[in-house]
Amino acid sequence: RQMCIRDRTLYAHLLEAAVLPGAQLAAGERLGRVGQSGRASTAHLHVELRRRTPGGMVALDPTPLLADAVAALPPPQALQAQGLRPASP
């Protein structure tokens, strides 16, 4: 599964962003540091996937794309060698 040109993502509650809007990321590439902005009670990342349609932007379930991205991640040892912490299952 891949995003199409009509798709847009939104990431909220970041402490800081490591990329500019519109950048394409590879699996495992850091997009920022998780934060706790707004009324969030704990640090987390809010992810939205939206698709432009003739009727406007429509929210999509990002789970299939996220599952594919996790499956494409380098092995935990490679992430640790880059100073990244592997995700918990």
Side-chain angles (χ1 to χ4, degrees), residues 2-89:
Q2 292 186 339
M3 289 180 56
C4 72
I5 194 83
R6 301 180 318 259
D7 294 345
R8 297 290 179 260
T9 55
L10 174 98
Y11 305 94
H13 303 298
L14 287 174
L15 181 61
E16 66 183 15
V19 296
L20 296 174
Q24 286 191 313
L25 302 175
E29 189 174 347
R30 182 177 292 204
L31 66 92
R33 291 180 51 208
V34 172
Q36 187 176 335
S37 64
R39 295 183 178 204
S41 58
T42 60
H44 68 282
L45 176 63
H46 179 99
V47 178
E48 288 186 22
L49 175 60
R50 298 177 184 176
R51 177 164 290 159
R52 184 178 311 282
T53 68
M57 295 300 278
V58 175
L60 301 175
D61 180 0
T63 305
L65 284 172
L66 293 172
D68 290 348
V70 169
L73 283 172
Q77 300 84 356
L79 292 174
Q80 290 170 338
Q82 297 176 33
L84 301 173
R85 185 176 59 188
S88 301

